[in-house]
Amino acid sequence: SVRSADYAQVIPDYMAELDGQHLFFLGSDRAAFTEKYGKSVYYNTAMLGNIEAAYEIFNVYQSRVDDRVNWIFEELKKEIDLTVPETYRADRTKSEWPATATDSNELWRKRLKFELVGEILNKKTSDEAKVTIKKRYERMLKNVAEIDGGNLAELYLSTVAHLYDPHSTYFSAETFEDFAIQMKLKLCGIGAVLGLEEDTCVVKEIVAGGPADLGRILKPNDKIMSVAQTGKEPVEIIGMKLRKIVDMIRGEKDTVVHLSVLPADATDPSVRKEIVITRDFVKLNAARARAAIFQVPGAEGTERSLGVITLPAFYADDDGDTDKEKSTASKDVARLIEQLKQQGIQGLVLDLRRNGGGYLSEAIELAGLFIKQGPVVQVKNFQGEIQVDTDNNEKIVYAGPLAVLVDRFSASASEIVAGALQNYGRAVVIGDSSTHGKGSVQSVVEMRQVDRTLGNARNKDGSPAKTGAAKFTIQKYYLPSGDSTQLKGVVPDIVLPSVTNLISGIGEADLLHALAWEQIPTSVFDGSPLDAKVLTPLRQSSLERQAKLEEFAYLRKNIEWFKARQEQKLISVNLDERKQQKATDDAFRKSMNAEKKLLAKNDYTFKEFRLGPPALPRIKAAKKDADKDVDADDDDDAVEEENDTYIKNDVHLRETLRVVSDAVSLGTNKAEWASNRAPLTARSGG
């Protein structure tokens, strides 16, 4: 719950929205604004509709930016010594603002060195690096000057909304129009949902079936640093309004956009990955479920046929598909299961990695393919009323051994399916340390719906005037057991090592003011979590493989290297030290790629099954110019592997298949059963 006193936090939160890296404001600014506005934010906003604080704080911010950029221009005229053994804290989101102007100058002296070293490491001379930085701050001045009152109102009111939870927000009329278009997915662009974090454009989500998804190079949480059109100079977009960035990335079908990206898993902030994407509409068929049968060595020395169904999203297409039937996630998965069963699969993996959710009704239907009937999800609204959503279809489409593979990008509907099947003991859940943790439901309300004067407003031509809107969190999801999926997500039965576990900013728990995890009463359902008699041997066998197989040693080396770099909060601004570190990092990545190629030779053979037309070809990454720096993990062979339908050396999928194979083996010996059914198979009674 949020009290009126909590509204004082809006002031520093709004300052941080303007100045995310805590570089321009001073500590004295925070103290002055908190003193002047902190105690009256609630009264001014809720009772008077007064948001004067938004404009005054911005005016000071604009003044600080103007002064600092002019200071930077003067500093760039001087010789800057990059031989001094100094460091800079690259991530200042949790740092205090500099207390005084003197402290601010010292901070910026190191910041400027940090930026210069980063540019020089990207194959620029010192003079070229200075020109790039000068252009960056010229662009920033222009961007700040273009911010208008509507932008500030949206930012300030969204900061107020974020006190309640990170998914509640306010849309200006322009932003609401963009949101409506995005929800319909009728936009021609790259197929990515973008957001702003501390003046930087961040990829929030890759839309299944879009150009970015087909390319497999752009990833969630990547930061887009600059955008270029074919034949034109790149434009740095740091500090630019999101609407303007989106307009630059959108465009005509079959045209090309060039992105310079700081990868989410980069350990050096100077790293840049150049990505070329051909604009297109989202293709439903590319986003549909697909399947394959993998040949996996069994414990008895024979090969087992195990199915894998990959589901990118919980979709529903009312227009029908190429089969003249309605295409939905659950119906497509059911069709694929029938094909796999005809081929005699002995076990199945449902791969929900990077599945960000979709239609709740499809999550319920899909879970129902594996259980006889019963509750799948509970929903509690803001009044405390609980609704139980149930699978009422008694038919079980697949009754055999089942595993669900998840990662930290598996969210919302994915978490409902994984959690429900885990509650019923119907599947073993495998993957990252937890799923995303988004267990809330939002509703959008237009301002015209709550204010009659806005509802009757008209433009000069008589058309209804555009109004803003607010997005509110109205419900939370709970599993049949009563556990919320909020914050904690679903914790797998078998956790696999992963770099993703270490990347901050991915999960719901990393968001400011995230809603708490909680429980409600359990619903009545015929099932229970996996018995220890089944889960313990499956987990133990997996842990033994994790300890001895080379592919897990490869994973651990990557994780340890990433963790060591991530813990290095202070980055050297000594050019020679950074060159040496870059050489070390490049050599490490190169050796890891070589090892990956060797391990990929052990991949299981597979046969693919698809619905509708043949698979669209994966978009290959453009080759780099010979004179450009090529990161060791971006060589042509490595990228080619990532563009295959099933990526090479997919350690998590390989291990999940082995766990299913172990479950099949347990099923051959009734003495190892925990009940009157084989492990991980559907109950005869429900």
Side-chain angles (χ1 to χ4, degrees), residues 284-285 288 317 319-325 327 335 611-613:
L284 175 66
N285 278 313
R288 290 177 73 178
D317 176 25
D319 298 327
D321 61 20
T322 53
D323 299 323
K324 306 300 181 187
E325 296 178 42
S327 172
R335 293 173 196 168
L611 300 166

Side-chain angles (χ1 to χ4, degrees), residues 315-540:
Y315 52 85
D317 176 25
D318 294 326
D319 298 327
D321 61 20
T322 53
D323 299 323
K324 306 300 181 187
E325 296 178 42
K326 185 176 178 181
S327 172
T328 69
S330 59
K331 288 187 176 180
D332 281 353
V333 170
R335 293 173 196 168
L336 289 168
I337 287 173
E338 292 300 339
Q339 292 184 37
L340 299 182
K341 282 162 59 177
Q342 287 173 15
Q343 299 294 316
I345 60 164
Q346 296 172 268
L348 180 66
V349 174
L350 178 61
D351 189 349
L352 297 181
R353 289 177 296 178
R354 296 191 178 275
N355 183 322
Y359 288 89
L360 176 63
S361 56
E362 283 305 298
I364 296 165
E365 291 288 329
L366 192 132
L369 302 178
F370 305 103
I371 60 173
K372 189 172 183 182
Q373 62 182 34
V376 173
V377 62
Q378 302 186 78
V379 182
K380 186 175 79 169
N381 66 17
F382 59 92
Q383 295 175 318
E385 298 168 334
I386 297 172
Q387 172 187 324
V388 181
D389 290 327
T390 300
D391 163 49
N392 293 312
N393 189 340
E394 291 194 7
K395 182 182 178 184
I396 298 174
V397 175
Y398 177 73
L402 177 67
V404 181
L405 178 55
V406 295
D407 63 11
R408 288 184 71 202
F409 296 106
S410 304
S412 198
S414 291
E415 297 176 289
I416 289 168
V417 169
L421 295 177
Q422 187 182 54
N423 278 187
Y424 277 86
R426 177 64 189 89
V428 58
V429 180
I430 303 171
D432 289 353
S433 55
S434 71
T435 55
H436 186 83
K438 186 182 183 297
S440 59
V441 187
Q442 286 71 42
S443 177
V444 176
V445 179
E446 278 192 78
M447 293 298 101
R448 68 170 72 251
Q449 295 173 246
V450 294
D451 188 324
R452 289 183 180 178
T453 58
L454 289 174
N456 297 325
R458 290 288 184 271
N459 295 318
K460 289 181 180 179
D461 62 2
S463 61
K466 294 177 182 176
T467 66
K471 183 172 67 168
F472 300 112
T473 296
I474 58 168
Q475 296 174 326
K476 285 175 79 173
Y477 289 136
Y478 300 82
L479 298 174
S481 65
D483 288 352
S484 172
T485 56
Q486 172 62 21
L487 206 68
K488 293 183 180 180
V490 174
V491 177
D493 302 300
I494 298 175
V495 175
L496 302 178
S498 171
V499 167
T500 318
N501 290 330
L502 301 175
I503 300 176
S504 61
I506 291 179
E508 181 85 3
D510 295 315
L511 301 178
L512 194 62
H513 305 304
L515 293 175
W517 178 88
E518 60 181 356
Q519 291 174 299
I520 61 173
T522 183
S523 55
V524 178
F525 63 100
D526 185 13
S528 58
L530 284 175
D531 192 285
K533 190 173 182 181
V534 172
L535 184 54
T536 299
L538 292 179
R539 184 184 286 145
Q540 191 59 40

Side-chain angles (χ1 to χ4, degrees), residues 658-673:
R658 293 190 199 103
V659 172
V660 173
S661 181
D662 287 345
V664 173
S665 295
L666 286 177
T668 62
N669 184 359
K670 285 194 174 185
E672 295 175 329
W673 295 9

